[in-house]
Amino acid sequence: MALTVHQFACLDDNYAFLIRDDATGLAATIDTPDADAILAELDRLGWKLALIMNTHWHPDHAGGNAAIQAATGAAIVGPKEVTRIAPLDREVGDGDEVRLGETLFRVIDTGGHTLGHIAYHDAADRIAFVGDTLFALGCGRLFEGTPAQMWGSLQRLAALPDDTTVYCAHEYTAANARFALSVDESPALKARADQVFAARERGEPTVPTTIGLEKATNPFLRAPLLAPGEPHEAFGAVRAAKDVFKG
Ligand code: ZN
Ligand code: FE
């Protein structure tokens, strides 16, 4: 693989992702949930940070931008909405390319959780960083967008190859699994939920996941099978049920 991904937990339930283009040694961080933790980890790895790649403006994703840029001189790329809390060196949107050494990322508009949310897709390595859009067995809350917008965003991610490795920004999977089991009786989901609960008991992460696994078991991607109406309406109904679920 031409891209090394170093994932670690930070804050309450965030994941930080430090990535390195192996050909050139250039490194980037996907979002900046915890500046101190990310800088310490860069130091430990001996990686030189060239780029900060934001998915959306929320403070647990862009809040460390200024401190990390001050310490490393890394350039910041992200969607325009990030300028609500911090300046960007380069604004990117749907279809734009972001290069880290020899690794090429394509920006995918995945608005819904926030209006300007984006994902970064490295097709050559079959890797996607999806922020708070798609979670293992879940999806982001609709803070700013509509169900139709989020459904469209999820469909764009679902259209990636099944073996795409998906890095989501939070460890929410056990709670997501409890909700999923309340709306979906599929045996594949039951089997996966058992694995998730066991992994969390052992303190193991359940991220990354894959597009294929999410298509098979994620109740938000399976919404048209679980609720009536047009697909985006079914998705909206499942999302609304999750918002009030007390598991
Ligand atoms: Zn968020
Ligand atoms: Fe978040």
PDB file of all heavy atoms in Angstrom, residues 123-153:
ATOM      1  N   ALA A 123      -8.608   6.602  -4.550  1.00  0.00           N
ATOM      2  CA  ALA A 123      -9.096   5.455  -5.334  1.00  0.00           C
ATOM      3  C   ALA A 123      -8.012   4.400  -5.512  1.00  0.00           C
ATOM      4  O   ALA A 123      -8.297   3.196  -5.489  1.00  0.00           O
ATOM      5  CB  ALA A 123      -9.602   5.937  -6.694  1.00  0.00           C
ATOM      6  N   ALA A 124      -6.751   4.820  -5.677  1.00  0.00           N
ATOM      7  CA  ALA A 124      -5.671   3.860  -5.930  1.00  0.00           C
ATOM      8  C   ALA A 124      -5.484   2.923  -4.745  1.00  0.00           C
ATOM      9  O   ALA A 124      -5.208   1.731  -4.925  1.00  0.00           O
ATOM     10  CB  ALA A 124      -4.369   4.606  -6.231  1.00  0.00           C
ATOM     11  N   ASP A 125      -5.638   3.439  -3.541  1.00  0.00           N
ATOM     12  CA  ASP A 125      -5.458   2.629  -2.338  1.00  0.00           C
ATOM     13  C   ASP A 125      -6.776   2.109  -1.781  1.00  0.00           C
ATOM     14  O   ASP A 125      -6.794   1.402  -0.777  1.00  0.00           O
ATOM     15  CB  ASP A 125      -4.723   3.441  -1.265  1.00  0.00           C
ATOM     16  CG  ASP A 125      -3.313   3.804  -1.699  1.00  0.00           C
ATOM     17  OD1 ASP A 125      -2.517   2.885  -1.947  1.00  0.00           O
ATOM     18  OD2 ASP A 125      -3.019   5.009  -1.806  1.00  0.00           O
ATOM     19  N   ARG A 126      -7.888   2.495  -2.418  1.00  0.00           N
ATOM     20  CA  ARG A 126      -9.228   2.100  -1.964  1.00  0.00           C
ATOM     21  C   ARG A 126      -9.442   2.460  -0.501  1.00  0.00           C
ATOM     22  O   ARG A 126      -9.763   1.619   0.352  1.00  0.00           O
ATOM     23  CB  ARG A 126      -9.466   0.604  -2.214  1.00  0.00           C
ATOM     24  CG  ARG A 126      -9.432   0.325  -3.695  1.00  0.00           C
ATOM     25  CD  ARG A 126      -9.912  -1.072  -4.028  1.00  0.00           C
ATOM     26  NE  ARG A 126      -9.809  -1.279  -5.458  1.00  0.00           N
ATOM     27  CZ  ARG A 126     -10.849  -1.585  -6.228  1.00  0.00           C
ATOM     28  NH1 ARG A 126     -12.041  -1.739  -5.727  1.00  0.00           N
ATOM     29  NH2 ARG A 126     -10.673  -1.744  -7.523  1.00  0.00           N
ATOM     30  N   ILE A 127      -9.263   3.760  -0.229  1.00  0.00           N
ATOM     31  CA  ILE A 127      -9.413   4.282   1.131  1.00  0.00           C
ATOM     32  C   ILE A 127     -10.279   5.525   1.054  1.00  0.00           C
ATOM     33  O   ILE A 127     -10.120   6.346   0.143  1.00  0.00           O
ATOM     34  CB  ILE A 127      -8.017   4.654   1.711  1.00  0.00           C
ATOM     35  CG1 ILE A 127      -7.233   3.383   2.063  1.00  0.00           C
ATOM     36  CG2 ILE A 127      -8.152   5.564   2.924  1.00  0.00           C
ATOM     37  CD1 ILE A 127      -5.801   3.656   2.493  1.00  0.00           C
ATOM     38  N   ALA A 128     -11.192   5.683   2.017  1.00  0.00           N
ATOM     39  CA  ALA A 128     -11.977   6.918   2.108  1.00  0.00           C
ATOM     40  C   ALA A 128     -12.020   7.396   3.550  1.00  0.00           C
ATOM     41  O   ALA A 128     -12.202   6.601   4.475  1.00  0.00           O
ATOM     42  CB  ALA A 128     -13.400   6.693   1.591  1.00  0.00           C
ATOM     43  N   PHE A 129     -11.818   8.697   3.723  1.00  0.00           N
ATOM     44  CA  PHE A 129     -11.971   9.338   5.022  1.00  0.00           C
ATOM     45  C   PHE A 129     -13.288  10.101   4.973  1.00  0.00           C
ATOM     46  O   PHE A 129     -13.441  11.038   4.185  1.00  0.00           O
ATOM     47  CB  PHE A 129     -10.787  10.272   5.295  1.00  0.00           C
ATOM     48  CG  PHE A 129      -9.496   9.529   5.429  1.00  0.00           C
ATOM     49  CD1 PHE A 129      -8.638   9.402   4.340  1.00  0.00           C
ATOM     50  CD2 PHE A 129      -9.140   8.925   6.621  1.00  0.00           C
ATOM     51  CE1 PHE A 129      -7.451   8.687   4.446  1.00  0.00           C
ATOM     52  CE2 PHE A 129      -7.962   8.203   6.745  1.00  0.00           C
ATOM     53  CZ  PHE A 129      -7.112   8.087   5.655  1.00  0.00           C
ATOM     54  N   VAL A 130     -14.233   9.676   5.803  1.00  0.00           N
ATOM     55  CA  VAL A 130     -15.611  10.143   5.628  1.00  0.00           C
ATOM     56  C   VAL A 130     -16.113  11.017   6.768  1.00  0.00           C
ATOM     57  O   VAL A 130     -17.294  11.379   6.792  1.00  0.00           O
ATOM     58  CB  VAL A 130     -16.571   8.954   5.402  1.00  0.00           C
ATOM     59  CG1 VAL A 130     -16.136   8.160   4.169  1.00  0.00           C
ATOM     60  CG2 VAL A 130     -16.644   8.046   6.626  1.00  0.00           C
ATOM     61  N   GLY A 131     -15.237  11.377   7.713  1.00  0.00           N
ATOM     62  CA  GLY A 131     -15.628  12.307   8.773  1.00  0.00           C
ATOM     63  C   GLY A 131     -16.841  11.820   9.538  1.00  0.00           C
ATOM     64  O   GLY A 131     -16.887  10.676  10.013  1.00  0.00           O
ATOM     65  N   ASP A 132     -17.851  12.685   9.641  1.00  0.00           N
ATOM     66  CA  ASP A 132     -19.070  12.349  10.372  1.00  0.00           C
ATOM     67  C   ASP A 132     -20.241  12.085   9.426  1.00  0.00           C
ATOM     68  O   ASP A 132     -21.402  12.313   9.777  1.00  0.00           O
ATOM     69  CB  ASP A 132     -19.455  13.495  11.334  1.00  0.00           C
ATOM     70  CG  ASP A 132     -18.524  13.597  12.530  1.00  0.00           C
ATOM     71  OD1 ASP A 132     -17.627  12.746  12.679  1.00  0.00           O
ATOM     72  OD2 ASP A 132     -18.700  14.545  13.319  1.00  0.00           O
ATOM     73  N   THR A 133     -19.971  11.619   8.207  1.00  0.00           N
ATOM     74  CA  THR A 133     -21.070  11.297   7.285  1.00  0.00           C
ATOM     75  C   THR A 133     -21.536   9.858   7.483  1.00  0.00           C
ATOM     76  O   THR A 133     -22.685   9.611   7.840  1.00  0.00           O
ATOM     77  CB  THR A 133     -20.649  11.531   5.826  1.00  0.00           C
ATOM     78  OG1 THR A 133     -20.346  12.912   5.660  1.00  0.00           O
ATOM     79  CG2 THR A 133     -21.779  11.156   4.866  1.00  0.00           C
ATOM     80  N   LEU A 134     -20.641   8.918   7.258  1.00  0.00           N
ATOM     81  CA  LEU A 134     -20.959   7.490   7.403  1.00  0.00           C
ATOM     82  C   LEU A 134     -20.183   6.947   8.596  1.00  0.00           C
ATOM     83  O   LEU A 134     -18.968   7.131   8.682  1.00  0.00           O
ATOM     84  CB  LEU A 134     -20.558   6.747   6.131  1.00  0.00           C
ATOM     85  CG  LEU A 134     -20.762   5.237   6.096  1.00  0.00           C
ATOM     86  CD1 LEU A 134     -22.239   4.870   6.202  1.00  0.00           C
ATOM     87  CD2 LEU A 134     -20.169   4.639   4.810  1.00  0.00           C
ATOM     88  N   PHE A 135     -20.900   6.299   9.516  1.00  0.00           N
ATOM     89  CA  PHE A 135     -20.245   5.619  10.627  1.00  0.00           C
ATOM     90  C   PHE A 135     -20.452   4.119  10.486  1.00  0.00           C
ATOM     91  O   PHE A 135     -21.347   3.668   9.749  1.00  0.00           O
ATOM     92  CB  PHE A 135     -20.831   6.069  11.974  1.00  0.00           C
ATOM     93  CG  PHE A 135     -20.518   7.489  12.332  1.00  0.00           C
ATOM     94  CD1 PHE A 135     -21.531   8.392  12.605  1.00  0.00           C
ATOM     95  CD2 PHE A 135     -19.206   7.940  12.402  1.00  0.00           C
ATOM     96  CE1 PHE A 135     -21.246   9.714  12.933  1.00  0.00           C
ATOM     97  CE2 PHE A 135     -18.907   9.258  12.731  1.00  0.00           C
ATOM     98  CZ  PHE A 135     -19.936  10.146  12.994  1.00  0.00           C
ATOM     99  N   ALA A 136     -19.652   3.345  11.206  1.00  0.00           N
ATOM    100  CA  ALA A 136     -19.885   1.909  11.260  1.00  0.00           C
ATOM    101  C   ALA A 136     -21.276   1.695  11.861  1.00  0.00           C
ATOM    102  O   ALA A 136     -21.545   2.114  12.996  1.00  0.00           O
ATOM    103  CB  ALA A 136     -18.808   1.235  12.105  1.00  0.00           C
ATOM    104  N   LEU A 137     -22.177   1.114  11.089  1.00  0.00           N
ATOM    105  CA  LEU A 137     -23.569   0.865  11.472  1.00  0.00           C
ATOM    106  C   LEU A 137     -24.363   2.140  11.741  1.00  0.00           C
ATOM    107  O   LEU A 137     -25.443   2.087  12.333  1.00  0.00           O
ATOM    108  CB  LEU A 137     -23.672  -0.082  12.688  1.00  0.00           C
ATOM    109  CG  LEU A 137     -23.265  -1.530  12.424  1.00  0.00           C
ATOM    110  CD1 LEU A 137     -23.306  -2.349  13.720  1.00  0.00           C
ATOM    111  CD2 LEU A 137     -24.194  -2.167  11.391  1.00  0.00           C
ATOM    112  N   GLY A 138     -23.845   3.288  11.314  1.00  0.00           N
ATOM    113  CA  GLY A 138     -24.578   4.528  11.582  1.00  0.00           C
ATOM    114  C   GLY A 138     -24.297   5.594  10.548  1.00  0.00           C
ATOM    115  O   GLY A 138     -23.665   5.350   9.514  1.00  0.00           O
ATOM    116  N   CYS A 139     -24.804   6.779  10.832  1.00  0.00           N
ATOM    117  CA  CYS A 139     -24.480   7.950  10.018  1.00  0.00           C
ATOM    118  C   CYS A 139     -24.578   9.177  10.900  1.00  0.00           C
ATOM    119  O   CYS A 139     -25.114   9.121  12.006  1.00  0.00           O
ATOM    120  CB  CYS A 139     -25.408   8.079   8.806  1.00  0.00           C
ATOM    121  SG  CYS A 139     -27.072   8.689   9.190  1.00  0.00           S
ATOM    122  N   GLY A 140     -24.036  10.282  10.418  1.00  0.00           N
ATOM    123  CA  GLY A 140     -24.016  11.508  11.215  1.00  0.00           C
ATOM    124  C   GLY A 140     -25.410  12.078  11.414  1.00  0.00           C
ATOM    125  O   GLY A 140     -26.306  11.892  10.588  1.00  0.00           O
ATOM    126  N   ARG A 141     -25.565  12.778  12.509  1.00  0.00           N
ATOM    127  CA  ARG A 141     -26.806  13.502  12.762  1.00  0.00           C
ATOM    128  C   ARG A 141     -26.974  14.621  11.743  1.00  0.00           C
ATOM    129  O   ARG A 141     -25.995  15.215  11.294  1.00  0.00           O
ATOM    130  CB  ARG A 141     -26.730  14.157  14.149  1.00  0.00           C
ATOM    131  CG  ARG A 141     -27.615  13.546  15.162  1.00  0.00           C
ATOM    132  CD  ARG A 141     -27.374  14.212  16.516  1.00  0.00           C
ATOM    133  NE  ARG A 141     -27.534  13.214  17.548  1.00  0.00           N
ATOM    134  CZ  ARG A 141     -28.718  12.896  18.102  1.00  0.00           C
ATOM    135  NH1 ARG A 141     -29.819  13.526  17.758  1.00  0.00           N
ATOM    136  NH2 ARG A 141     -28.786  11.954  19.010  1.00  0.00           N
ATOM    137  N   LEU A 142     -28.225  14.941  11.428  1.00  0.00           N
ATOM    138  CA  LEU A 142     -28.490  16.010  10.451  1.00  0.00           C
ATOM    139  C   LEU A 142     -28.576  17.349  11.174  1.00  0.00           C
ATOM    140  O   LEU A 142     -29.659  17.853  11.436  1.00  0.00           O
ATOM    141  CB  LEU A 142     -29.791  15.721   9.695  1.00  0.00           C
ATOM    142  CG  LEU A 142     -29.847  14.372   8.984  1.00  0.00           C
ATOM    143  CD1 LEU A 142     -31.116  14.248   8.151  1.00  0.00           C
ATOM    144  CD2 LEU A 142     -28.624  14.195   8.098  1.00  0.00           C
ATOM    145  N   PHE A 143     -27.414  17.916  11.487  1.00  0.00           N
ATOM    146  CA  PHE A 143     -27.407  19.213  12.173  1.00  0.00           C
ATOM    147  C   PHE A 143     -27.813  20.335  11.223  1.00  0.00           C
ATOM    148  O   PHE A 143     -28.425  21.307  11.628  1.00  0.00           O
ATOM    149  CB  PHE A 143     -26.028  19.510  12.761  1.00  0.00           C
ATOM    150  CG  PHE A 143     -25.717  18.709  13.991  1.00  0.00           C
ATOM    151  CD1 PHE A 143     -24.684  17.783  13.983  1.00  0.00           C
ATOM    152  CD2 PHE A 143     -26.464  18.872  15.150  1.00  0.00           C
ATOM    153  CE1 PHE A 143     -24.393  17.050  15.117  1.00  0.00           C
ATOM    154  CE2 PHE A 143     -26.182  18.139  16.290  1.00  0.00           C
ATOM    155  CZ  PHE A 143     -25.144  17.225  16.274  1.00  0.00           C
ATOM    156  N   GLU A 144     -27.410  20.242   9.963  1.00  0.00           N
ATOM    157  CA  GLU A 144     -27.640  21.356   9.030  1.00  0.00           C
ATOM    158  C   GLU A 144     -28.410  20.956   7.774  1.00  0.00           C
ATOM    159  O   GLU A 144     -29.100  21.778   7.190  1.00  0.00           O
ATOM    160  CB  GLU A 144     -26.291  21.981   8.630  1.00  0.00           C
ATOM    161  CG  GLU A 144     -25.525  22.571   9.817  1.00  0.00           C
ATOM    162  CD  GLU A 144     -24.159  23.146   9.426  1.00  0.00           C
ATOM    163  OE1 GLU A 144     -23.827  23.169   8.230  1.00  0.00           O
ATOM    164  OE2 GLU A 144     -23.428  23.561  10.344  1.00  0.00           O
ATOM    165  N   GLY A 145     -28.249  19.738   7.324  1.00  0.00           N
ATOM    166  CA  GLY A 145     -28.834  19.346   6.035  1.00  0.00           C
ATOM    167  C   GLY A 145     -30.173  18.646   6.174  1.00  0.00           C
ATOM    168  O   GLY A 145     -30.683  18.430   7.277  1.00  0.00           O
ATOM    169  N   THR A 146     -30.734  18.289   5.024  1.00  0.00           N
ATOM    170  CA  THR A 146     -32.020  17.585   4.977  1.00  0.00           C
ATOM    171  C   THR A 146     -31.775  16.082   4.804  1.00  0.00           C
ATOM    172  O   THR A 146     -30.690  15.663   4.368  1.00  0.00           O
ATOM    173  CB  THR A 146     -32.839  18.064   3.771  1.00  0.00           C
ATOM    174  OG1 THR A 146     -32.114  17.729   2.577  1.00  0.00           O
ATOM    175  CG2 THR A 146     -33.085  19.565   3.817  1.00  0.00           C
ATOM    176  N   PRO A 147     -32.805  15.278   5.094  1.00  0.00           N
ATOM    177  CA  PRO A 147     -32.675  13.840   4.818  1.00  0.00           C
ATOM    178  C   PRO A 147     -32.323  13.571   3.350  1.00  0.00           C
ATOM    179  O   PRO A 147     -31.506  12.694   3.066  1.00  0.00           O
ATOM    180  CB  PRO A 147     -34.054  13.279   5.179  1.00  0.00           C
ATOM    181  CG  PRO A 147     -34.566  14.204   6.240  1.00  0.00           C
ATOM    182  CD  PRO A 147     -34.068  15.571   5.834  1.00  0.00           C
ATOM    183  N   ALA A 148     -32.906  14.318   2.429  1.00  0.00           N
ATOM    184  CA  ALA A 148     -32.621  14.076   1.007  1.00  0.00           C
ATOM    185  C   ALA A 148     -31.149  14.343   0.694  1.00  0.00           C
ATOM    186  O   ALA A 148     -30.510  13.595  -0.056  1.00  0.00           O
ATOM    187  CB  ALA A 148     -33.519  14.958   0.134  1.00  0.00           C
ATOM    188  N   GLN A 149     -30.609  15.424   1.277  1.00  0.00           N
ATOM    189  CA  GLN A 149     -29.193  15.735   1.037  1.00  0.00           C
ATOM    190  C   GLN A 149     -28.298  14.640   1.608  1.00  0.00           C
ATOM    191  O   GLN A 149     -27.373  14.169   0.946  1.00  0.00           O
ATOM    192  CB  GLN A 149     -28.841  17.086   1.674  1.00  0.00           C
ATOM    193  CG  GLN A 149     -27.403  17.521   1.385  1.00  0.00           C
ATOM    194  CD  GLN A 149     -26.998  18.788   2.124  1.00  0.00           C
ATOM    195  OE1 GLN A 149     -27.673  19.238   3.047  1.00  0.00           O
ATOM    196  NE2 GLN A 149     -25.882  19.367   1.720  1.00  0.00           N
ATOM    197  N   MET A 150     -28.585  14.213   2.839  1.00  0.00           N
ATOM    198  CA  MET A 150     -27.744  13.195   3.477  1.00  0.00           C
ATOM    199  C   MET A 150     -27.879  11.861   2.751  1.00  0.00           C
ATOM    200  O   MET A 150     -26.886  11.141   2.578  1.00  0.00           O
ATOM    201  CB  MET A 150     -28.137  13.054   4.952  1.00  0.00           C
ATOM    202  CG  MET A 150     -27.208  12.149   5.739  1.00  0.00           C
ATOM    203  SD  MET A 150     -25.509  12.805   5.826  1.00  0.00           S
ATOM    204  CE  MET A 150     -25.004  12.169   7.435  1.00  0.00           C
ATOM    205  N   TRP A 151     -29.076  11.527   2.316  1.00  0.00           N
ATOM    206  CA  TRP A 151     -29.266  10.273   1.569  1.00  0.00           C
ATOM    207  C   TRP A 151     -28.420  10.307   0.300  1.00  0.00           C
ATOM    208  O   TRP A 151     -27.747   9.335  -0.047  1.00  0.00           O
ATOM    209  CB  TRP A 151     -30.744  10.064   1.244  1.00  0.00           C
ATOM    210  CG  TRP A 151     -30.986   8.845   0.396  1.00  0.00           C
ATOM    211  CD1 TRP A 151     -31.365   8.833  -0.914  1.00  0.00           C
ATOM    212  CD2 TRP A 151     -30.825   7.483   0.788  1.00  0.00           C
ATOM    213  NE1 TRP A 151     -31.458   7.535  -1.363  1.00  0.00           N
ATOM    214  CE2 TRP A 151     -31.130   6.684  -0.340  1.00  0.00           C
ATOM    215  CE3 TRP A 151     -30.447   6.854   1.983  1.00  0.00           C
ATOM    216  CZ2 TRP A 151     -31.074   5.293  -0.302  1.00  0.00           C
ATOM    217  CZ3 TRP A 151     -30.389   5.460   2.004  1.00  0.00           C
ATOM    218  CH2 TRP A 151     -30.697   4.697   0.880  1.00  0.00           C
ATOM    219  N   GLY A 152     -28.430  11.436  -0.390  1.00  0.00           N
ATOM    220  CA  GLY A 152     -27.603  11.580  -1.591  1.00  0.00           C
ATOM    221  C   GLY A 152     -26.122  11.400  -1.277  1.00  0.00           C
ATOM    222  O   GLY A 152     -25.388  10.736  -2.019  1.00  0.00           O
ATOM    223  N   SER A 153     -25.689  11.983  -0.175  1.00  0.00           N
ATOM    224  CA  SER A 153     -24.279  11.868   0.224  1.00  0.00           C
ATOM    225  C   SER A 153     -23.923  10.423   0.542  1.00  0.00           C
ATOM    226  O   SER A 153     -22.871   9.925   0.131  1.00  0.00           O
ATOM    227  CB  SER A 153     -24.021  12.755   1.449  1.00  0.00           C
ATOM    228  OG  SER A 153     -24.208  14.113   1.118  1.00  0.00           O
TER     229      SER A 153
END
